Amino acid sequence: MIKIGQWNKLPVARMVDFGVYLSAGDDLEILLPARYITEPLTVGQELDVFVYTDSEDRLIATTDVPYAKVGEVAMLEVVAENRIGAFLDWGLMKDLLVPFREQKTKMHVGGRYPVYVYLDDVSKRVAASAKIEKFIGNVIPRYQKGDKVEAFVWKSTPIGYTCVVDNLHSGMLYSNETFRRLEPGMKIEAWIRRVRPDGKIDLRLAPAGSGRSRSNSVADDILSILQESDDKKLRLTDKSTPEEIKEILECSKRDFKQAVGHLLKSRKITLQPDGIVLLEA
């Protein structure tokens, strides 16, 4: 069965001047236009193609790679607007529609918005929605603590970052445990900290037990900054705010303090009231 808005492996049924027709079963054929054919093909040869509908609602195949498939979230740019909605660049010839009913606020040309790509059940067209919460959290998460996942940074909040986990669930990365700068639209690796009773997920940016390796990395960053500084000094102390530390080192305050302790123990730095000073070897 053909999967619209997904990759499909389809055999060549017949060749025509303007491309090839691919067999999709039940006497259904889908055109792969000639502009996507870069080498000679033979009947029966299977091709990996992305299938969606063209401007006349006919199924069409392409070898271009979209920025997102059906069932995925992505940050996409609006390239046009009209009376039915906004159109997003998703890497294919035909732009992706966000109907007005699927917009949270009016989308404008040039803006970038997080959206969920879905297949409309009635029209069988691929479309997008800014109302991501409609499409996630409908499956019970089956993760164990420490499992590795893919997280899409959806939006920032006063306590951290709301993420979409594996395109299925809602998760949270807390600011006080985030050791690098994140922006909405980023796709990152994350690890399960815990699954809450309401099905929402707490995440972490590193595997459990990796604190030593993170602090070692921060220690390397501190040494690099000290060595490149004219006065061999970094104006951070244990009284610096988490925000100040994150701005300079992109790490948590806890990792900063562990890194400083490691450098003190190895006699590479000394502490002054207004900062860290490099000890000459």
Side-chain angles (χ1 to χ4, degrees), residues 31-87:
L31 176 66
L32 176 66
R35 62 177 166 270
Y36 302 119
I37 300 172
T38 58
E39 59 185 33
L41 300 175
T42 58
V43 172
Q45 181 176 344
E46 289 191 327
L47 303 177
D48 285 313
V49 293
F50 186 81
V51 176
Y52 66 117
T53 55
D54 65 12
S55 56
E56 297 180 17
D57 289 337
R58 298 172 299 192
L59 290 177
I60 193 83
T62 178
T63 55
D64 285 344
V65 179
Y67 300 143
K69 310 187 298 290
V70 164
E72 294 183 345
V73 290
M75 182 75 79
L76 301 178
E77 181 178 350
V78 176
V79 293
E81 303 172 63
N82 69 11
R83 59 183 178 78
I84 62 172
F87 292 85

Side-chain angles (χ1 to χ4, degrees), residues 231-258:
D231 60 0
K232 308 302 180 187
K233 191 170 191 176
L234 174 60
R235 285 167 175 77
L236 289 175
T237 72
D238 61 357
K239 293 183 173 58
S240 297
T241 66
E243 290 74 23
E244 290 170 330
I245 293 168
K246 186 184 293 187
E247 179 68 25
I248 295 174
L249 295 172
E250 295 191 351
C251 72
S252 68
K253 187 165 183 175
R254 180 177 62 182
D255 287 340
F256 166 72
K257 293 175 75 172
Q258 288 177 346

Side-chain angles (χ1 to χ4, degrees), residues 102-122:
E102 296 297 334
Q103 298 180 25
K104 284 189 166 183
T105 59
K106 191 174 188 306
M107 294 179 164
H108 297 284
V109 172
R112 290 173 56 81
Y113 302 88
V115 295
Y116 184 95
V117 181
Y118 69 97
L119 181 66
D120 184 88
D121 290 333
V122 177

